[in-house]
Amino acid sequence: MEVWFTEDQTKHLRIGCRVREVLFSGQSPFQKVAVLDTVEFGRMLTLDNVIQTNIKDEFVYHEMITHVGLNTHPNPKKVLVIGGGDGGAVREIVKHKGIEKVVHVEIDQMVIDVAKKFFPELSSGFEDPRVEILVDDGIKHVKENKGVYDMIIVDSTDPVGPAVGLFGEEFYRSVFDALTEDGLFVAQTESPFFNSSLITQVTTTISGIYPLNRLFWAVVPTYPGGYWTFTMGSKKHDPLTVELNQGKIAALKTKWYSPEVHRSAFVLQPFVKELLPHK
Ligand code: SAM
C-alpha cells in the first residue's frame, strides 16, 4: 500500500510526499515530532505535520539564513541561534573560522535528539567545541543577555505555538539589546504568496527599532509557494554595500550561497517590494 504524508500548507492548499517509511514519531511537550523517509526528498523532519527540513533542499535555507549575515558583519565572533533544532544553521556557522562561540537555544529537546539520530548531515556541527546547546526558550534567553552577540539567527517554526513570540515587537527589541553595538539579526519570515501580512508586519516593526532593515529571498521547494523570505535587521552593516571576500566565501563550500547570490537575493520583485512600507 502506498503511504503519503500530506501537509495543509494553507486552509486550501496541500503538499503531499510519498513515504517509504516512518522512521520516528513522538509527542514532545511542545509538538508532534516525526521523521519520514520520503521518496522524493529523502529523510524529512516534520513538526505538527509541517515540513521543517529534508535532506534534498535543506542546504538552500540553512546557507541563506547564516552566510548572508555572517558575510555582512566584518568580524562576527559570537553568534546565537534560536530554534533550528535540526542543526543545519549551526553546521553552516561553524564553517566560519573566525567564529569563537555559537550559542544554540532550542526549546525542544526531542528535536535535538531526533536530529542527532536521524540527520547526522545536519547535526554534525553540534560536535564542534565552539557550540553550546541550551534547551530553553529563545525569547527568555535574549531578555537575559545584553550586548553579547554579533549575530542572532531566528530559525523558527511558523508563527504558531511557542514560536508566536519570535515574531513580535518585544522580541525584536530584546534581540536589539542582546546584540553588540554593530550586531545584526536574520530571521526566516515566510512566504510572500501565502503569508504576505507577516512580511509587512515584521518590516514595519523592526524599522522602528533597527537603523537598517533588508528583505531577501531564496527558493525552498517544500515550503509553501517555494519562494521564501528572510529579514535582516542591522545596527550598522549593510548587506547591499558590504565588500564580499570571494576567497572566504569559496572556502565555505556552499551549494546555493555565493557572492552573486548574496547580491541577487536582495533584488525584490515588484509585488514583494509592495509589501514593504518604505520601499
Ligand atoms: N531549520 C529548519 C528548516 O530548515 O526549516 C527550521 C525549523 S527549526 C526545526 C524550528 C525550531 O524552532 C523547532 O525545533 C522549534 O522547537 C523551535 N522553536 C520554536 N519556538 C521556539 C522558542 N520560543 N525558543 C527556541 N526554539 C523555538
Side-chain angles (χ1 to χ4, degrees):
M1 196 187 73
E2 279 187 14
V3 180
W4 285 74
F5 162 79
T6 333
E7 172 188 334
D8 291 345
Q9 293 199 322
T10 73
K11 267 190 190 158
H12 313 289
L13 174 70
R14 287 183 179 156
I15 184 174
C17 310
R18 193 166 160 199
V19 174
R20 271 195 211 98
E21 195 184 346
V22 177
L23 299 171
F24 177 86
S25 178
Q27 178 67 46
S28 80
F30 301 98
Q31 52 215 344
K32 183 182 163 208
V33 181
V35 180
L36 314 171
D37 182 15
T38 69
V39 177
E40 202 60 71
F41 294 102
R43 265 160 292 137
M44 176 179 276
L45 173 70
T46 67
L47 297 177
D48 287 338
N49 286 326
V50 174
I51 300 171
Q52 300 298 311
T53 198
N54 66 76
I55 296 301
K56 193 168 190 173
D57 73 17
E58 61 84 11
F59 66 93
V60 183
Y61 177 93
H62 292 124
E63 289 180 12
M64 291 303 276
I65 205 167
T66 54
H67 299 312
V68 174
L70 291 170
N71 285 295
T72 295
H73 193 288
N75 193 20
K77 290 194 183 320
K78 200 162 176 193
V79 178
L80 169 67
V81 179
I82 295 174
D86 51 67
V90 170
R91 179 197 65 200
E92 294 303 314
I93 297 165
V94 297
K95 287 181 179 175
H96 290 253
K97 299 231 168 356
I99 297 290
E100 292 171 359
K101 178 99 190 156
V102 184
V103 178
H104 180 210
V105 183
E106 161 62 55
I107 207 165
D108 194 339
Q109 178 74 54
M110 190 182 279
V111 178
I112 296 170
D113 293 343
V114 152
K116 284 185 179 164
K117 182 161 181 198
F118 296 102
F119 296 91
E121 308 85 343
L122 280 101
S123 59
S124 55
F126 289 161
E127 305 306 321
D128 190 289
R130 295 169 293 173
V131 177
E132 180 185 3
I133 301 177
L134 303 173
V135 179
D136 205 351
D137 186 341
I139 299 170
K140 179 171 149 261
H141 184 86
V142 287
K143 270 192 199 145
E144 290 168 355
N145 290 274
K146 308 268 182 226
V148 183
Y149 298 106
D150 300 308
M151 180 172 173
I152 296 178
I153 293 169
V154 191
D155 183 3
S156 67
T157 33
D158 298 333
V160 284
V164 172
L166 297 174
F167 293 84
E169 179 170 354
E170 199 189 334
F171 174 69
Y172 292 123
R173 284 194 189 282
S174 306
V175 167
F176 187 93
D177 293 339
L179 288 167
T180 49
E181 58 187 21
D182 65 345
L184 57 88
F185 86 84
V186 171
Q188 74 87 2
T189 42
E190 307 275 316
S191 158
F193 287 98
F194 300 116
N195 207 347
S196 58
S197 59
L198 181 110
I199 294 171
T200 306
Q201 176 215 306
V202 170
T203 298
T204 307
T205 306
I206 70 165
S207 62
I209 305 170
Y210 294 78
L212 214 131
N213 69 80
R214 302 279 182 224
L215 188 80
F216 60 100
W217 63 281
V219 172
V220 184
T222 45
Y223 289 174
Y227 177 128
W228 210 246
T229 70
F230 304 86
T231 296
M232 180 188 292
S234 176
K235 291 190 180 182
K236 184 173 173 194
H237 307 292
D238 187 348
L240 297 185
T241 54
V242 66
E243 219 174 282
L244 296 168
N245 182 331
Q246 307 267 346
K248 186 181 154 206
I249 293 175
L252 298 171
K253 297 208 185 320
T254 47
K255 292 195 275 184
W256 182 271
Y257 179 78
S258 70
E260 294 78 14
V261 170
H262 182 112
R263 301 280 180 225
S264 64
F266 292 92
V267 178
L268 303 178
Q269 301 74 12
F271 91 102
V272 181
K273 271 191 195 170
E274 269 183 23
L275 303 176
L276 305 179
H278 57 291
K279 295 274 153 58

